């Protein structure tokens, strides 16, 4: 499964209720030019498989962030 990086901010906006469009800027010094995840390779080398989808991971991260930042505005 391919999950494009540009879809992640959209999913974050949906989960958080913040529908503002993200600002795309140039990479900072030290940022990777690209990131590649090989699901088959991690399963082969480490025997690990994901038990949750990308949306579930984003929802879980948002819930955790909100626990530690309860006064932060939503949306």
């Amino acid at each position: 499964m391919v999950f494009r990086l540009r879809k992640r901010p959209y999913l974050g906006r949906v989960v958080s209720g913040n529908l503002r469009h993200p600002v795309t800027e140039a990479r900072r010094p030290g940022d990777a030019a690209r990131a590649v995840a090989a699901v088959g390779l991690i399963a082969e080398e480490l025997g690990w498989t994901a038990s949750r989808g990308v949306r579930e991971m984003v929802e879980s991260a948002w819930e955790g962030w909100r626990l530690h930042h309860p006064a932060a505005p939503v949306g």
Side-chain angles (χ1 to χ4, degrees):
M1 175 183 165
V2 174
F3 187 79
R4 303 218 180 273
L5 188 57
R6 292 196 184 271
K7 289 184 179 179
R8 199 173 68 209
Y10 170 75
L11 187 55
R13 292 189 343 249
V14 169
V15 169
S16 70
N18 180 347
L19 300 179
R20 293 177 290 179
H21 291 282
V23 176
T24 302
E25 297 181 353
R27 287 193 327 263
R28 300 165 297 187
D31 283 352
R34 62 186 253 202
V36 177
V39 176
L41 186 59
I42 197 167
E44 179 183 317
E45 291 192 2
L46 301 177
W48 182 87
T49 56
S51 60
R52 299 198 169 131
V54 175
R55 184 182 182 108
E56 291 172 299
M57 289 186 272
V58 172
E59 288 172 344
S60 175
W62 177 246
E63 289 171 15
W65 190 88
R66 292 292 298 154
L67 283 174
H68 294 283
H69 303 89
V74 177

